[in-house]
Amino acid sequence: MDRTHPHGVTGATAKKGAAGLGIALAAVATVVWSGSFVAARALHDSVPPIQQAFWRWVVALVAVAPFAAREAWRQRALVRRHLGHLLLAALLGVTVYNTLVNQAAVATSAGNMGMIMAASPVLMAVYERLGGVRLGARRVAGMLIACAGVLLLVGKGAADFASGDLWMIAAATCFASYSALLRRKPAQLTGLAFLFGTFALGTAMLLPAYVLSVGAEGTFTPTPATVGPLLYVGVASSAVAFFAWNKAISLIGAARAGTVYYLQPVCVAALSYVLLGERTTWTQVLCMALILGGVVLGAAPRTR
């Protein structure tokens, strides 16, 4: 029998509502992040990869500071206590991941980036299974169907692999590892404090590489074509999407959120076609339908 909450909402209904919110937040993050691959590709010949990453997180820090800085200061004792966890999360999710994405954009298309990145949920699910989480037959089936769509998309519908694709494989591994760490976030540390802490630490770790990049490559010229994409990836793809993704994982776990993440190649293909003129073949469209079917199956709640 379900326990009834004070306002008459059953425990099952509350759980279902939390799952629905988690899936919606994962979808928001996925759609917004799809635009960041297009932005990275648009900046690949005007802003060096490390400088893209650094200014992205400077903008993100400024965007979240009014909402999160006070919370992080209030929880400074907890931040110090769990500094190791925060440093590792910042290194994987902020410092390294986005730099690899920007480096990949130099040598491969936005469509390829989205396709390869969509394979990261497989590793997320592996991490959860190793942690003792039972995934369930429906979720595993949905994951496998979507993964098959990704493999077909890359194998038959995409351009030949370039060096940038190898950078994206490394980026996907980093992101999956970051998502697994989110599941182990210290319970007492609030989402805003965690977000601000990882942004600040990740930006600080990028600073030495940024200085070296400026010395070796010079600075970029601020124009609407460079500042606009940097504002997008700083505010939308960092402040908004990372908050939504972190919250989604706290509600539904990395494996289930990762299934929604398979939507990314569909979103990236559409955006790259509209904004960059990258063409989408019928083979890619058919594979995307397979991906969407897997997402619907894998993200559906369990029936009892």
Side-chain angles (χ1 to χ4, degrees):
M1 182 181 294
D2 292 325
R3 293 182 180 178
T4 303
H5 287 252
H7 298 289
V9 179
T10 65
T13 302
K15 188 175 181 180
K16 190 177 294 185
L21 177 60
I23 290 170
L25 289 171
V28 167
T30 298
V31 172
V32 173
W33 274 331
S34 299
S36 70
F37 293 139
V38 177
R41 183 62 181 164
L43 292 171
H44 79 278
D45 58 355
S46 56
V47 184
I50 291 173
Q51 295 182 41
Q52 281 188 53
F54 178 77
W55 285 111
R56 168 181 181 155
W57 294 109
V58 169
V59 171
L61 268 176
V62 172
V64 303
F67 312 99
R70 182 177 295 179
E71 182 69 10
W73 177 254
R74 187 181 68 82
Q75 293 201 303
R76 60 190 181 279
L78 279 171
V79 170
R80 284 195 299 268
R81 186 185 310 164
H82 300 289
L83 187 60
H85 184 95
L86 284 167
L87 277 169
L88 184 57
L91 179 67
L92 292 172
V94 176
T95 305
V96 178
Y97 164 65
N98 288 282
T99 304
L100 291 173
V101 169
N102 297 339
Q103 185 63 48
V106 175
T108 194
S109 67
N112 268 25
M113 292 165 69
M115 294 172 206
I116 295 167
M117 194 62 198
S120 62
V122 176
L123 187 54
M124 293 180 203
V126 170
Y127 281 138
E128 288 225 334
R129 188 67 188 92
L130 290 174
V133 176
R134 186 173 177 273
L135 301 179
R138 178 184 291 181
R139 198 169 304 167
V140 171
M143 182 183 71
L144 292 175
I145 291 171
C147 187
V150 171
L151 292 175
L152 287 173
L153 195 59
V154 173
K156 295 183 179 180
D160 291 337
F161 264 31
S163 61
D165 299 314
L166 298 177
W167 289 111
M168 266 321 289
I169 290 171
T173 303
C174 270
F175 181 73
S177 302
Y178 167 78
S179 295
L181 275 177
L182 291 179
R183 195 63 168 165
R184 307 192 189 296
K185 181 183 78 67
Q188 307 95 326
L189 197 62
T190 63
L192 285 176
F194 182 86
L195 195 74
F196 187 81
T198 52
F199 283 13
L201 291 169
T203 306
M205 286 187 279
L206 270 171
L207 182 58
Y210 171 77
V211 172
L212 290 174
S213 175
V214 169
E217 303 171 280
T219 58
F220 66 94
T221 303
T223 66
T226 56
V227 173
L230 286 174
L231 287 175
Y232 175 83
V233 296
V235 177
S237 295
S238 300
V240 175
F242 267 78
F243 178 81
W245 183 255
N246 293 1
K247 184 64 175 177
I249 287 183
S250 72
L251 291 172
I252 60 175
R256 196 167 180 187
T259 304
V260 179
Y261 195 75
Y262 278 117
L263 289 168
Q264 186 153 258
V266 182
C267 299
V268 173
L271 289 172
S272 61
Y273 175 76
V274 173
L275 299 176
L276 301 178
E278 294 182 0
R279 297 188 65 183
T280 302
T281 67
W282 281 109
T283 303
Q284 289 173 308
V285 172
L286 290 174
C287 293
M288 288 175 192
L290 194 61
I291 293 169
L292 285 169
V295 168
V296 172
L297 180 63
R302 295 180 186 176
T303 57
R304 296 189 177 185

